Amino acid sequence: MNIPIERGKVVTVARGQSTSVAGFSLSKGLGVVFRHWRRAWFEKQHQNVPATASESAPNAGNDKSKPTAFVTLEDMSKSYGTFTVEYPEQRIKLPEAYRNMPVLLYDDETGHELCTSCFQCQRICPPQVIHMTQAKDPASGKPVPSVAEFIIEYDACMSCGFCAEVCPFDAIKMDHEFELSTHDHPSLTVYKRDLNRPVSYYESIAPGFWAEARERAYKKLATNMKRRPGAIGIAPHLTEKITAAQAQAAQAAAAQAPAAKAPAKKAAAPRAADTAAAPTDKEAKLAAIRARNAAQKGGSAPAAGTAADAPLPTDKEAKLAAIRARNAAKKGGSTPAAETSAEESPPTDDKAARLAAIRARNAAKKGDATPSEESDQPAAETPPANDKAARLAAIRARNAAQKATEAAEQAADSATSTPEAPASSSEEGKPLDEKAARLAEIRARNAARKKGDQE
Amino acid sequence: MKAEGTMIKTEELQINIGPQHPSTHGVFRMLVTVDGETIVDLKPVFGYLHRNHEQIAEVNTYLQNMPYTDRLDYFNSMANNQAYAMAVEKLAEIEVPERAEYIRVIMVELTRILNHASALGFLINDMGAWQTPLAFGMREREKILDLFESTSGARLMCNYFRFGGVVRDLPPDFVPRLQSLLTGLPTFIDEFERMLRENEILRIRSEGIGVLPKEVAISYSVTGPVLRGSGIPYDIRKAEPYSIYDRFDFDVPIGTVGDVYDRFLVRIEEMRQSKRILEQALKQLPDAEGGHINPKARQNIRPPVGDAYTRIESPKGELGFYLVSDGGQTPYRYKVRAPSFINLTPLSDMCRGYKVADVVVILGSIDIVMGEVDR
Ligand code: SF4
Ligand code: SF4
């Protein structure tokens, strides 16, 4: 049947007769399969891509140690049939337009974040997973075109890309990172600290898109930077770097002994924070997340957020210990009411500190036992060093606790966490520390002994 | 057994197929009453994937609904985008530039090819040709998805259309890549067709199975390849040309019997016609000066009070969006006329009298996506 209609016709599909003699269709089908197999075997361009190339992928995911090779679309179009790309050694090169989850950009040189907290992205987000607070000038209390905290719930984000489209300051962009699966569900609520990416990173994944946006983005950033007093607007981990440098100088002058091994690691710590995508120190990150969670449960979210992010320019184990100690202290408080009382009344505080000291000591001991963490500490097994480490840890735990208290107090009036908060508190806390540390040390030792007796 | 020719006493039995069954194409349950192997009655039960799509859409702004439409029929997000964008454009009277219309047509016709390629692959899979033909279909689909990814940023949830155009222009290598894809397409289609035509097992499993007579098809308001397979030349691109479909030459294939085999052939032919449209569209595609989006079109719109219904010929049938505006930021009413849902309703009429094993094949030949059925 052929009925002509406008610009075409109606055609009846011919059903036809089966041309096969019974039994032959099987061999015919196998013939088709064989033909495909043969072509796929001989036209295999992507195989020329070595499984381990020297070029490292910008989106190589968590495991940066393994180099990645890209299979480009061109390789694929030259290949035939279905084939296996040997992920994760080989990857398909992602197109520039690819979008997965949004990230925030900051300028490489000045460290200033492009975001001005204009709330456009928050408003347009269809599942409403973007949350932010605007930065305030601590002197005048007036809002500053900068963002204090920025949270995206990655687990509910639908990767629509509207936030990146609507942002007038080109501050939020869609990342190419897709290896986000984790057992740690709360870690998918991502804070500004882990959202920040340098502009150079975005340029490397989407050069064409950034070339378009570059000029207007920097122009707007320059205007906004003028309206940001002090360190407001600088990516927190870069503020940390400065603080770390200052603290290092002070420490080197004051006490040489405990800092003997620290500097080597000090250099490494901010770097790790630098590329948040590469959690070199997984344990610490996990601990930080846990600390944050516990704090959230406790009810003082932003404060604890800062505390968890507080710079501890020290060896990792102590950092971990401090975080754990703080966690424990929080858990001891458990309810917000109890927590406040813990902060105000010395007895409870003391208890928490003692607990912290025990934990710190334990952690320090544990740290000594693990060779990977302490491989560069030759005196790992000698008791004096052990004691020293414990003392150090105790000091730091105490410090952290204090910082947490102070941050909480600050947060109480401003409800936001300003980047300088940790820096100032650490400096003010210095003179107190000496005494408190000694106290904590004694307590830790006592507690350890008591514990030993019990066991 | 007695030799006198009396019937053996049999009993009817009710069995469940699904809701979690690999051949039900999603979370779908069929309550089947069988007499031996023969189907006496079949009740489709759906709603397992209900996620309040229409109600969510009524609290979202018009633009925020665009990515949600991707999730209706997740094989054809581009087609869903187009239907929704057209509805809003009609409501708010937004013009679409030439080039954007061509890009839209290219995307939706590519969607049709990928939908049919995978649907037929799954159909053959359901008939027992395990995986190999499906892999051939999926291979073509992957090539198209690569194009989508480089254009829209995502393979399935494209979210590519905006009111008054599309979100960004085609990447520079799109046209050559599409051309090379089109060059290889006829080989694939021919081979795919031969695979069924020349295989007596597949023919036995499909010929005369699941017949849907014309009258029944009309009374259920079935659309798309299922309707055309029953011999009714109804294609919205011809019956009520929307967008720029009146500028292309293409044929409307129809079947004669209305069985699984006819639906298969109609889909094969539709892929060929889509290829024709794509070739013409590439030839006529205006250069980038036309712009890919109407610069005057606002995305955060408040359409005037009124209502609009638009429909397109999505790969699965008539996809319609009905919107009512009360002048606010969000639609007052948002309704989807989903082809999968309506095509699924005559399932019991199509299955009655056939064997249990045929149910799977008949269901596969309707080509449903539960995301769209349940909404
Ligand atoms: S990311 Fe962009 S849109 Fe969102 S608040 Fe910051 S500047 Fe505004
Ligand atoms: S990509 Fe979409 S869903 Fe995700 S944060 Fe941005 S606007 Fe929200």
Side-chain angles (χ1 to χ4, degrees), chain A residues 72-92:
Chain A
T72 61
L73 283 172
E74 212 187 335
D75 295 324
M76 280 165 61
S77 65
K78 280 187 208 145
S79 299
Y80 179 84
T82 47
F83 50 80
T84 310
V85 176
E86 284 167 26
Y87 178 87
E89 280 81 28
Q90 290 183 334
R91 282 155 197 271
I92 296 170

Side-chain angles (χ1 to χ4, degrees), chain B residues 101-238:
Chain B
E101 290 282 21
Y102 276 97
I103 295 175
R104 285 179 172 192
V105 166
I106 288 172
M107 290 303 167
V108 176
E109 291 308 318
L110 280 174
T111 298
R112 200 179 314 276
I113 293 174
L114 83 80
N115 177 72
H116 288 350
S118 48
L120 297 182
F122 279 118
L123 176 60
I124 298 182
N125 206 17
D126 286 342
M127 290 183 196
W130 188 241
Q131 293 296 348
T132 309
L134 176 61
F136 295 159
M138 282 297 178
R139 184 193 61 209
E140 292 310 300
R141 176 170 176 257
E142 283 303 304
K143 288 181 192 164
I144 297 172
L145 290 184
D146 283 339
L147 284 178
F148 283 179
E149 191 181 26
S150 70
T151 312
S152 71
R155 302 168 82 77
L156 294 179
M157 302 301 147
C158 297
N159 188 20
Y160 183 54
F161 288 39
R162 294 291 178 274
F163 312 135
V166 291
V167 60
R168 67 175 75 85
D169 210 340
L170 301 171
D173 61 344
F174 183 87
V175 175
R177 274 170 69 194
L178 177 54
Q179 257 151 358
S180 79
L181 191 149
L182 290 181
T183 323
L185 203 58
T187 331
F188 158 73
I189 299 175
D190 291 347
E191 186 182 88
F192 217 67
E193 185 177 7
R194 272 212 313 280
M195 234 174 326
L196 186 76
R197 266 191 197 282
E198 297 184 0
N199 187 316
E200 67 261 37
I201 302 173
L202 297 191
R203 281 189 79 129
I204 291 165
R205 295 287 318 262
S206 62
E207 271 181 307
I209 303 293
V211 175
L212 182 68
K214 268 185 197 180
E215 298 71 32
V216 181
I218 291 174
S219 63
Y220 275 105
S221 60
V222 163
T223 48
V226 183
L227 180 71
R228 289 192 286 276
S230 296
I232 296 161
Y234 179 72
D235 186 323
I236 298 167
R237 292 174 294 174
K238 288 285 186 202

Side-chain angles (χ1 to χ4, degrees), chain A residues 104 114-122 132 150 163 166-172:
Chain A
L104 294 173
L114 271 62
C115 176
T116 64
S117 83
C118 69
F119 295 92
Q120 294 267 5
C121 52
Q122 183 180 357
M132 71 184 89
F150 199 105
C163 47
V166 81
C167 179
F169 299 94
D170 294 286
I172 191 165

